[in-house]
Amino acid sequence: MLACLAFYGWKPLLEQPSSPQMQSYFQESEVLGTMPADSASRFIVDFMGYTMLNPRAKLDPLYPEIESNIYNYSVSH
């Protein structure tokens, strides 16, 4: 139990900071609903291409949040 608490207490220190590119993608993903549909589609394709060429991007702490924003946009449109 103590080991578990120690690990989760230190978890923020173990996470890598987000890359500037992922921070940019995150900011853009936050406003997908306000973009014209073609711009949102271009963003999604660009993000998917980036993560295919840079698989380590999927380890970035912002990756799940960006994916969630894309999913929420896709469901609502």
Side-chain angles (χ1 to χ4, degrees), residues 27-60:
Q27 290 171 347
E28 199 166 349
S29 75
E30 290 277 277
V31 295
L32 279 174
T34 64
M35 293 180 185
D38 62 330
S39 295
S41 294
R42 264 191 308 259
F43 166 79
I44 294 168
V45 168
D46 184 50
F47 177 71
M48 299 296 232
Y50 177 78
T51 57
M52 286 175 60
L53 292 173
N54 303 286
R56 297 190 87 204
K58 293 181 179 182
L59 301 174
D60 191 287

Side-chain angles (χ1 to χ4, degrees), residues 14-35:
L14 298 175
E15 288 182 0
Q16 296 293 324
S18 293
S19 71
Q21 183 64 39
M22 290 298 281
Q23 290 174 1
S24 176
Y25 279 128
F26 174 71
Q27 290 171 347
E28 199 166 349
S29 75
E30 290 277 277
V31 295
L32 279 174
T34 64
M35 293 180 185

